Amino acid sequence: MSYEKEHFDFCLNQVRNDIANAKVGEGLVNIKGKIYSTVGLRIAKLRERFGTSISVRFAVHENTEDKVNIECIISLDTENKTKFLANGFAEKKRNLNFITKTSAVEFCQTTALGRACASLGIIGDHNIASAEEMYAAQDDSDKPKIINQNNGMDI
């Protein structure tokens, strides 16, 4: 095994451990008894360990009046090449709820990024869906407030 791969695996395991050791209210959210990590926590920990050697890019596959479909691609930039690591997709109908009516592209970007991180094993309590994704899937009457203390955003 090369040093580069060993170093990558070590850093990725540190990201996973950081999220596993996070607390509810500090990037983790309890929704109906299950723990979900926010996309903000996932990407913050990824950047903390890998810095700018991780590339995150988005491809818009569809952006119509009816729906949005976006892919997030995470790559590792090395001295010699860019290596594909993971991807994630999100598709939302614009008329689904208030969030998708006003910010469908942004919501799909967040969801796709969360799913790409999950493809790398960067999750909370074995849940691929992010806190933001689960929050949007709930009825309005059931929604808890998500506070991501890593970047100060309320969702």
Side-chain angles (χ1 to χ4, degrees):
M1 184 182 298
S2 71
Y3 168 77
E4 187 177 281
K5 178 155 177 25
E6 283 182 29
H7 181 69
F8 172 79
D9 289 344
F10 175 77
C11 289
L12 186 58
N13 281 332
Q14 286 184 311
V15 171
R16 291 174 182 146
N17 289 335
D18 289 347
I19 291 175
N21 293 321
K23 294 178 176 37
V24 171
E26 296 176 358
L28 296 182
V29 178
N30 184 330
I31 300 176
K32 295 186 178 182
K34 290 189 177 184
I35 305 299
Y36 297 89
S37 58
T38 62
V39 176
L41 176 66
R42 293 176 187 190
I43 194 65
K45 293 300 179 182
L46 197 60
R47 287 279 183 223
E48 186 178 300
R49 299 294 182 178
F50 288 97
T52 57
S53 64
I54 291 288
S55 294
V56 177
R57 72 181 176 84
F58 296 92
V60 178
H61 294 290
E62 184 172 355
N63 185 6
T64 65
E65 288 182 21
D66 297 324
K67 70 179 172 181
V68 175
N69 182 301
I70 293 181
E71 177 184 15
C72 176
I73 300 148
I74 299 176
S75 304
L76 178 67
D77 298 327
T78 65
E79 286 184 24
N80 301 326
K81 61 183 175 182
T82 298
K83 181 177 177 157
F84 169 84
L85 296 177
N87 67 340
F89 289 87
E91 180 176 281
K92 299 293 176 194
K93 292 186 178 182
R94 289 187 181 271
N95 65 357
L96 184 64
N97 58 36
F98 178 75
I99 294 171
T100 58
K101 284 179 186 173
T102 60
S103 306
V105 171
E106 295 87 346
F107 185 67
C108 280
Q109 280 185 304
T110 302
T111 302
L113 176 55
R115 290 194 162 266
C117 287
S119 294
L120 285 171
I122 302 170
I123 55 179
D125 198 26
H126 309 291
N127 292 304
I128 291 173
S130 67
E132 292 86 350
E133 196 172 349
M134 291 307 299
Y135 176 82
Q138 291 186 354
D139 293 335
D140 286 337
S141 60
D142 267 353
K143 291 185 179 176
K145 185 174 185 181
I146 297 175
I147 300 174
N148 185 349
Q149 293 181 352
N150 275 344
N151 60 14
M153 287 179 37
D154 286 357
I155 296 175

